[in-house]
Amino acid sequence: MKKILNDIDQLVEDMLNGMVAAHPNELKRVPNTTVLTRKKSPESGKVGLVSGGGSGHEPAHAGFIGDGMLDAAVAGEVFTSPTPDQVLEGIKAADTGKGVLLIIKNYTGDVMNFEMAAELAEAEGINVKSVIVNDDVAVEDSSFTTGRRGIAGTVLVHKIAGAAAMRGAELEEVKLVAEKVIKQVKSMGVSLSPCTVPASGKPGYSLGDNEMEIGTGIHGEPGIERTSIMTAQEIASTLFEKINHDLDLASGDRVSLLVNGLGATPLMELYILNNSLSALLKEKQIIVVDTIIGEWMTSLEMSGASITLLKVDDELEDLLLEKADTVAFKRGV
Amino acid sequence: MKKILNDIDQLVEDMLNGMVAAHPNELKRVPNTTVLTRKKSPESGKVGLVSGGGSGHEPAHAGFIGDGMLDAAVAGEVFTSPTPDQVLEGIKAADTGKGVLLIIKNYTGDVMNFEMAAELAEAEGINVKSVIVNDDVAVEDSSFTTGRRGIAGTVLVHKIAGAAAMRGAELEEVKLVAEKVIKQVKSMGVSLSPCTVPASGKPGYSLGDNEMEIGTGIHGEPGIERTSIMTAQEIASTLFEKINHDLDLASGDRVSLLVNGLGATPLMELYILNNSLSALLKEKQIIVVDTIIGEWMTSLEMSGASITLLKVDDELEDLLLEKADTVAFKRGV
Amino acid sequence: MKFGADEAVAWLIAFQGKVSENKTYLTELDQAIGDGDHGINLARGVKELANVFEASSFESASDVLKAASMTFISKVGGASGPLYGSAFLKMSMKWKEVDKDITMSELASILQEGEESIKARGKADVGEKTMLDVWHPVVQACSESDDADHFLQVAKEAMEGTKEIRATKGRAAYLGDRSIGHIDAGAMSSYYLFEALNETIKEKVV
Amino acid sequence: MKFGADEAVAWLIAFQGKVSENKTYLTELDQAIGDGDHGINLARGVKELANVFEASSFESASDVLKAASMTFISKVGGASGPLYGSAFLKMSMKWKEVDKDITMSELASILQEGEESIKARGKADVGEKTMLDVWHPVVQACSESDDADHFLQVAKEAMEGTKEIRATKGRAAYLGDRSIGHIDAGAMSSYYLFEALNETIKEKVV
Ligand SMILES: Nc1ncnc2c1ncn2[C@@H]1O[C@H](COP(=O)(O)OP(=O)(O)O)[C@@H](O)[C@H]1O
Ligand SMILES: Nc1ncnc2c1ncn2[C@@H]1O[C@H](COP(=O)(O)OP(=O)(O)O)[C@@H](O)[C@H]1O
Ligand SMILES: [Mg+2]
Ligand SMILES: [Mg+2]
Ligand SMILES: [Mg+2]
Ligand SMILES: [Mg+2]
């Protein structure tokens, strides 16, 4: 394992300090926690948005703190959900009196820790609601009750719920629009090579020289199939088919696209993938209203990419295109 | 070699199409060329800025097209300078009558191809000037006449010259400010693992399991030393020492920082590196006026990072903080 | 049997030893069918627990378990943190009802509180290839026999038995049939917990 | 010797064959001390050149070299594209001054134009471990002897001799002393060019 770091035990600490050092006007730490929050808190009267999860997905989640997206992000150890006491600190930092929405990715650990935190916050008199993102269509099994994982689609939930909150919506409304996104957002990824959790020192799985895996999760959870390496075109159509099995898009439908690199895949390849994907959508007369491309929900240095499609209506499109000014994601500023 | 692509011979073509598909309101192709330019040309009367080089450095260079940075970018094959006819098309696309500044990185091929293009453009009556960026302090040898390479510092040249052009400066003024930046901007990188040029199919060099290389160029050109893997702190101080040998910073000096990932290095590690670097600068009472962190000048899927320091005065700081709205880099919009 | 603060601390210190020693193994188990952090997570928790034990003294086993609960909840993270945390919280509350001197069947009822709270927190049941597949038979075994070796034997078989189960909860569930053939990481760590309990009873408890 | 359009095309087609065949080798040479694209760049150029030859017909060797120049400039990129492109442009201009029937010493003066233009474009000189280290002695050799095997022999030695040189131009210069021990990629491709010239003269030229 070769990584640029100092002390493996201080990894998250060092990262958070490095973030604040890089963005001193945008971010601040809540002392003695792993919570980052806005440097200047939003005016009271705005619903607070809190997200978070294990570290190793940067810029998720703290990179999305700022106008039009999140108010606080809680970082766990690498690929490990943060604990309830930390999430509680995040909730407190984001609350301006109008309540807080927790955006949780659907992993057992995240759900339990965030829900325990919500219980603690309620006990302190803060109005907390939560939504659980489960956009990864790789997982599908009726005998399977854990449900689908939350992956890159989470970024669009941040964006749209964040826009609604910025415009002054009430907690219940923000929650409803977040749930609307969650219903319409579907993702799936492929991995070409694994990543290594620093504390473990070994890659999470191995892939042959000519192998790739379809449907890998953002923590290296196994996907649905191993195949030999596919072309960009084949990847685009394989992922699209699986996503569209759920979305059932028809000619004339409008979608927003997120092409997400998992960490080590060059932007060049993401654009090539997008070229294949957008040709495919054009052929099916599906209208792409917006494309976000880059690294947004990574898995350390995993190589591979995921595709996210969100079927939009006027409300979602409008909120999606609303301006945002965060550390990692800026739009129309 | 595992990459997401279709036809190796069509790589640049597919990438450019994928970029335009992703950013249809920002970018357009100049037909039958490898030039990308703004969707809406700037008003006439603005000096045009053209950059470019081999592909594989994305988001450089086309990702910097937009308000406050570039007007056109010319893409060559992977790691290979574009040809003069292509650069000429870029110049034509960027010219609104007030002349064009070429921002060239100091590689024999780039310099020759861009200068030939400048000659061709002059012959067509376009006023063209050029600057050559040579920020890589890894290269230093008196018997050596090729000069230093241009690497990530180029991004700051784009930014500052772009701001000057946006504010209406004349070609000569834009050139002067670009040269001022070039004089004050110094960079150096380390690599932890190599990258593979798709057409060659094999990594450009190899590094042992516990090795890193100091001073590697953005095309995998060898650096100055191979060592066993260093901590973030050691990397920060090694690179800083070498950079500061040239910049000779004193307590109270102001700098702008660029921490650049080479392709496969997680953002987490860049922040950890920034944490070590900013602590070091603080100790030396050097004032960081701005930090740009992420992947800006990559080398395909190379892993590693570079550090760039620009010593700023009021003029440079002001232009640096000017707003910009490009595909990859947005500020204060 | 006498089971007060000292014995409870001894139990958890023994647990700490086993987890630290087998940190890599636990992580490997989690790597095979999960995300490879169970050993790391739990080792971080028990290490902190040792610090807590060093710094404070306790009146009763209940107090010890309460402190353990807080440490698990705030230091482990992931799925296992809240699960062990909830289990120890509920066990701590139940222990208050009994004396320093407890019977094996009282111990069973304490452990049952733990089992129930894992079920509730994890929305899981027996047979889903989780730590519950060790907790449940152990609770049974404690209520059946006073011999501490009995529940250990049961725990061991149950832990090994998770190999055969197809996961439907936790990250391993994403693997479907491919989860078969691997021991569940949380089942393994729970086995260490009961192994530590067995040793404590046999060595310390009079 | 007769050296018109046909012979010039034959020369460059022979060059194309050698470059295509040795694309990987050229790339490996460039990988050792450069950026590993010389074979790829040049193969792309000569492939296009073959297309150009297929599509058009030419009046004179000068025209052929002019077309080659344009193709090198617009298809190769990198350092070698403008260098070969400039060399062929100047050689094409010089060739205009001579007849279809040229002497070896006229050929030398044509090649010398190429050498000069590489020097000018590359701001380089002999002894810096570039293609010039092949061009320069070949020009000399052509002016010394009418025997085509003489310049071939000289080219070969010069190409191999680049191994010993410490690079001060081109990407290899970044390596300093570490550039010693490797043949320069552009020297190698230039050797193929002169090998192709030798074969054309011996096979085709009467
Ligand atoms: N819903 C659940 N109910 C009970 N136990 C569970 C559940 N989900 C996971 N577990 C247990 O937790 C263990 C994983 O813990 P850990 O690796 O620390 O958390 P994470 O899965 O978040 O990385 C599994 O091996 C399993 O025994
Ligand atoms: N300044 C120069 N003068 C003459 N020849 C040069 C110069 N720079 C490079 N070369 C030649 O070009 C060759 C490299 O060509 P190529 O790999 O296609 O370009 P690049 O170096 O841009 O990747 C070198 O091997 C050398 O022979
Ligand atoms: Mg985990
Ligand atoms: Mg090159
Ligand atoms: Mg785990
Ligand atoms: Mg080269």
Side-chain angles (χ1 to χ4, degrees):
Chain A
M1 178 188 71
K2 290 197 281 189
K3 292 184 188 276
I4 300 178
L5 45 81
N6 291 309
D7 179 352
I8 285 183
D9 290 335
Q10 292 295 311
L11 211 88
V12 173
E13 187 67 17
D14 289 353
M15 173 183 72
L16 296 175
N17 285 336
M19 285 195 82
V20 172
H23 313 292
N25 303 320
E26 291 83 16
L27 299 178
K28 68 171 185 234
R29 293 193 64 169
V30 176
N32 303 315
T33 72
T34 58
V35 176
L36 288 180
T37 180
R38 292 162 183 259
K39 179 64 176 281
K40 295 177 197 84
S41 297
E43 298 118 67
S44 66
K46 182 189 139 342
V47 168
L49 257 69
V50 176
S51 187
S55 294
H57 305 300
E58 291 67 31
H61 302 84
F64 301 122
I65 293 175
D67 287 343
M69 289 180 89
L70 303 180
D71 297 290
V74 192
E77 294 294 322
V78 175
F79 291 0
T80 298
S81 166
T83 55
D85 51 320
Q86 299 297 314
V87 179
L88 175 62
E89 294 295 334
I91 295 171
K92 285 187 196 165
D95 183 41
T96 67
K98 221 179 170 181
V100 169
L101 182 72
L102 292 182
I103 298 170
I104 310 170
K105 290 189 294 312
N106 192 31
Y107 299 95
T108 314
D110 290 63
V111 172
M112 290 192 294
N113 285 289
F114 277 72
E115 283 183 350
M116 284 172 84
E119 290 164 21
L120 296 170
E122 295 278 358
E124 297 196 18
I126 302 174
N127 191 6
V128 181
K129 296 205 179 294
S130 39
V131 294
I132 297 177
V133 187
N134 59 353
D135 55 319
D136 189 350
V137 299
V139 178
E140 184 82 90
D141 188 334
S142 53
S143 73
F144 171 68
T145 54
T146 297
R148 286 173 164 174
R149 303 177 290 231
I151 57 172
T154 310
V155 177
L156 299 179
V157 180
H158 294 166
K159 175 67 193 75
I160 290 175
M166 183 170 68
R167 289 183 182 175
E170 297 296 327
L171 178 56
E172 186 58 33
E173 294 172 76
V174 179
K175 185 186 174 194
L176 280 176
V177 78
E179 280 172 344
K180 189 170 170 187
V181 177
I182 290 168
K183 237 178 120 182
Q184 304 284 5
V185 71
K186 307 291 163 195
S187 305
M188 192 156 127
V190 296
S191 71
L192 277 69
S193 70
C195 62
T196 298
V197 173
S200 112
K202 280 181 292 182
Y205 53 98
S206 63
L207 278 166
D209 272 357
N210 196 31
E211 273 187 335
M212 57 180 271
E213 179 153 313
I214 303 173
T216 319
I218 55 171
H219 309 93
E221 298 95 339
I224 45 178
E225 201 190 342
R226 287 215 172 171
T227 64
S228 53
I229 180 91
M230 291 178 170
T231 64
Q233 218 150 35
E234 290 163 344
I235 293 171
S237 77
T238 302
L239 298 184
F240 175 77
E241 287 311 322
K242 202 84 171 58
I243 287 169
N244 199 37
H245 183 260
D246 265 60
L247 276 190
D248 200 18
L249 296 165
S251 154
D253 279 350
R254 285 173 300 153
V255 297
S256 141
L257 220 62
L258 177 77
V259 179
N260 177 58
L262 294 178
T265 292
L267 194 48
M268 166 184 270
E269 296 176 35
L270 299 184
Y271 278 120
I272 291 173
L273 181 61
N274 183 57
N275 188 42
S276 293
L277 180 64
S278 58
L280 190 158
L281 293 172
K282 198 169 180 184
E283 196 191 290
K284 296 193 187 294
Q285 296 180 290
I286 295 163
I287 300 153
V288 178
V289 300
D290 184 49
T291 303
I292 298 173
I293 187 163
E295 294 186 340
W296 309 103
M297 182 67 75
T298 60
S299 306
L300 297 169
E301 71 287 343
M302 193 184 291
S303 85
S306 66
I307 288 174
T308 299
L309 265 75
L310 167 66
K311 185 173 167 181
V312 297
D313 57 13
D314 290 345
E315 181 193 23
L316 296 187
E317 182 176 346
D318 182 45
L319 289 165
L320 182 71
L321 300 180
E322 176 63 275
K323 63 180 195 281
D325 190 3
T326 72
V327 164
F329 185 88
K330 295 181 201 293
R331 159 161 289 175
V333 251
Chain B
M1 178 187 72
K2 291 196 280 189
K3 290 184 187 276
I4 300 179
L5 47 80
N6 291 309
D7 180 349
I8 286 184
D9 290 335
Q10 292 295 310
L11 211 89
V12 174
E13 187 67 17
D14 289 353
M15 172 183 74
L16 296 175
N17 285 335
M19 286 196 82
V20 173
H23 314 292
N25 303 320
E26 291 83 18
L27 299 178
K28 67 171 186 236
R29 292 192 65 169
V30 176
N32 303 314
T33 72
T34 58
V35 176
L36 288 180
T37 181
R38 291 162 182 258
K39 179 64 175 280
K40 295 178 198 86
S41 296
E43 299 120 65
S44 65
K46 182 189 139 340
V47 168
L49 257 67
V50 175
S51 186
S55 294
H57 305 300
E58 292 68 31
H61 302 84
F64 302 121
I65 293 174
D67 287 345
M69 288 180 90
L70 304 180
D71 298 289
V74 192
E77 293 294 322
V78 175
F79 290 0
T80 298
S81 165
T83 55
D85 52 319
Q86 300 297 314
V87 179
L88 175 62
E89 295 295 333
I91 295 172
K92 286 187 196 165
D95 183 41
T96 67
K98 219 177 170 183
V100 169
L101 183 72
L102 292 182
I103 297 169
I104 311 171
K105 291 189 294 311
N106 192 30
Y107 298 96
T108 313
D110 290 63
V111 172
M112 289 193 293
N113 285 288
F114 277 72
E115 285 185 347
M116 283 172 84
E119 292 163 20
L120 296 170
E122 295 278 358
E124 297 196 17
I126 302 174
N127 192 6
V128 181
K129 295 204 179 296
S130 39
V131 294
I132 297 178
V133 187
N134 59 353
D135 54 320
D136 188 350
V137 299
V139 177
E140 183 83 89
D141 188 333
S142 53
S143 74
F144 170 69
T145 54
T146 297
R148 287 173 163 175
R149 302 177 291 231
I151 58 171
T154 311
V155 177
L156 299 179
V157 181
H158 294 166
K159 175 68 193 75
I160 290 176
M166 184 170 67
R167 288 183 182 176
E170 297 297 325
L171 178 56
E172 187 57 34
E173 293 173 76
V174 179
K175 185 187 174 195
L176 280 176
V177 79
E179 279 171 346
K180 189 172 171 187
V181 178
I182 290 169
K183 237 177 120 182
Q184 303 283 6
V185 71
K186 306 291 163 195
S187 306
M188 191 157 125
V190 296
S191 70
L192 277 68
S193 70
C195 62
T196 298
V197 173
S200 113
K202 281 181 291 184
Y205 52 99
S206 64
L207 279 166
D209 273 357
N210 196 29
E211 274 186 334
M212 58 181 271
E213 179 152 314
I214 303 173
T216 318
I218 55 170
H219 309 93
E221 297 95 339
I224 46 178
E225 202 190 342
R226 290 218 170 168
T227 64
S228 53
I229 182 91
M230 292 178 170
T231 64
Q233 219 148 35
E234 289 164 343
I235 292 171
S237 78
T238 303
L239 298 184
F240 175 77
E241 287 311 323
K242 202 81 170 61
I243 288 170
N244 199 36
H245 184 260
D246 265 60
L247 276 189
D248 201 19
L249 296 165
S251 151
D253 280 349
R254 287 172 298 153
V255 297
S256 143
L257 221 61
L258 178 76
V259 180
N260 178 57
L262 293 178
T265 292
L267 194 49
M268 165 183 272
E269 295 175 36
L270 299 183
Y271 278 120
I272 292 173
L273 181 61
N274 183 56
N275 187 43
S276 292
L277 180 64
S278 58
L280 190 157
L281 293 172
K282 198 171 181 179
E283 196 192 288
K284 296 190 188 295
Q285 297 180 290
I286 295 163
I287 301 153
V288 178
V289 299
D290 184 50
T291 303
I292 298 174
I293 187 163
E295 294 186 339
W296 308 104
M297 181 67 75
T298 61
S299 305
L300 296 170
E301 70 287 344
M302 194 183 290
S303 85
S306 66
I307 288 175
T308 298
L309 265 76
L310 167 67
K311 185 172 167 182
V312 297
D313 57 13
D314 290 346
E315 181 193 21
L316 295 187
E317 182 176 346
D318 182 45
L319 290 165
L320 183 71
L321 300 181
E322 175 63 272
K323 63 182 197 280
D325 191 1
T326 73
V327 163
F329 185 88
K330 296 181 203 291
R331 159 161 289 174
V333 253
Chain C
M1 56 193 171
K2 187 180 151 285
F3 208 121
D6 287 354
E7 288 74 17
V9 167
W11 172 24
L12 287 165
I13 290 290
F15 179 48
Q16 185 231 330
K18 288 174 195 296
V19 168
S20 307
E21 225 168 85
N22 296 288
K23 177 177 159 178
T24 309
Y25 177 53
L26 285 173
T27 292
E28 279 167 6
L29 289 179
D30 194 31
Q31 223 161 22
I33 54 173
D35 62 348
D37 61 357
H38 187 56
I40 302 164
N41 292 347
L42 212 53
R44 185 174 52 241
V46 292
K47 189 178 158 199
E48 179 63 22
L49 198 54
N51 294 339
V52 169
F53 290 162
E54 213 108 305
S56 343
S57 59
F58 302 90
E59 296 275 298
S60 65
S62 172
D63 284 357
V64 173
L65 267 59
K66 176 126 193 260
S69 160
M70 289 304 142
T71 307
F72 286 132
I73 288 176
S74 66
K75 293 291 164 190
V76 176
S80 55
L83 291 171
Y84 278 117
S86 302
F88 274 81
L89 189 63
K90 287 291 171 65
M91 292 196 292
S92 146
M93 285 158 72
K94 184 76 182 175
W95 213 307
K96 270 199 195 135
E97 297 171 16
V98 299
D99 201 37
K100 244 180 139 150
D101 241 317
I102 60 169
T103 63
M104 192 56 109
S105 94
E106 281 171 329
L107 183 62
S109 70
I110 290 166
L111 293 176
Q112 185 167 8
E113 285 295 307
E115 180 197 341
E116 294 303 333
S117 108
I118 292 172
K119 274 187 184 159
R121 188 49 77 192
K123 301 187 181 80
D125 217 326
V126 174
E128 304 204 87
K129 198 182 185 104
T130 70
M131 52 176 70
L132 272 177
D133 293 310
V134 170
W135 281 76
H136 180 74
V138 164
V139 169
Q140 284 282 334
C142 288
S143 69
E144 280 162 20
S145 155
D146 282 352
D147 179 2
D149 283 343
H150 176 57
F151 77 72
L152 178 65
Q153 182 60 28
V154 165
K156 185 146 198 272
E157 280 161 22
M159 172 272 286
E160 281 163 357
T162 61
K163 229 182 182 167
E164 315 307 326
I165 306 177
R166 182 176 182 283
T168 49
K169 278 280 151 51
R171 275 175 217 277
Y174 303 126
L175 272 169
D177 287 337
R178 284 193 276 167
S179 66
I180 297 171
H182 300 271
I183 293 172
D184 173 63
M188 191 73 218
S189 62
S190 292
Y191 169 73
Y192 293 139
L193 181 70
F194 296 120
E195 196 184 35
L197 181 62
N198 164 280
E199 288 168 12
T200 309
I201 291 173
K202 289 174 72 178
E203 285 167 26
K204 285 239 163 190
V205 177
V206 207
Chain D
M1 55 195 171
K2 190 179 150 286
F3 209 120
D6 288 355
E7 289 73 18
V9 168
W11 173 25
L12 289 165
I13 290 290
F15 180 49
Q16 185 231 330
K18 288 172 195 299
V19 169
S20 309
E21 223 167 86
N22 296 290
K23 176 176 160 179
T24 310
Y25 177 54
L26 286 172
T27 291
E28 279 167 7
L29 288 179
D30 194 32
Q31 222 160 23
I33 53 172
D35 62 349
D37 60 358
H38 187 57
I40 302 165
N41 292 347
L42 211 53
R44 186 173 50 242
V46 293
K47 189 178 158 199
E48 178 62 20
L49 199 54
N51 294 340
V52 170
F53 289 162
E54 200 115 303
S56 343
S57 59
F58 301 90
E59 296 275 297
S60 65
S62 172
D63 283 358
V64 172
L65 267 60
K66 176 126 193 260
S69 160
M70 289 304 139
T71 307
F72 286 133
I73 290 176
S74 67
K75 292 293 163 188
V76 175
S80 54
L83 291 171
Y84 277 118
S86 303
F88 274 81
L89 188 63
K90 287 293 171 63
M91 291 196 293
S92 146
M93 284 158 72
K94 185 74 182 176
W95 212 307
K96 267 198 197 137
E97 298 170 14
V98 299
D99 200 37
K100 244 176 136 151
D101 239 318
I102 60 168
T103 63
M104 191 59 107
S105 95
E106 280 170 331
L107 183 62
S109 70
I110 290 166
L111 293 177
Q112 184 167 8
E113 284 295 307
E115 180 197 340
E116 294 303 331
S117 106
I118 293 172
K119 276 186 184 159
R121 186 54 74 192
K123 299 188 182 82
D125 217 325
V126 174
E128 303 204 87
K129 197 180 185 109
T130 70
M131 51 176 71
L132 271 177
D133 293 310
V134 170
W135 281 76
H136 180 74
V138 164
V139 169
Q140 285 281 334
C142 288
S143 69
E144 281 160 20
S145 156
D146 282 352
D147 180 3
D149 284 344
H150 176 57
F151 77 72
L152 179 66
Q153 182 58 27
V154 165
K156 186 147 197 271
E157 280 161 23
M159 172 271 287
E160 281 163 358
T162 61
K163 230 182 183 166
E164 314 308 326
I165 306 175
R166 183 176 181 283
T168 49
K169 278 279 152 52
R171 277 175 215 276
Y174 302 126
L175 272 168
D177 287 338
R178 284 193 276 167
S179 66
I180 297 171
H182 300 271
I183 294 172
D184 173 62
M188 192 72 217
S189 61
S190 292
Y191 170 71
Y192 293 141
L193 182 70
F194 296 121
E195 195 184 35
L197 181 62
N198 165 280
E199 287 168 12
T200 308
I201 291 173
K202 288 174 71 177
E203 285 166 25
K204 284 238 165 192
V205 176
V206 206

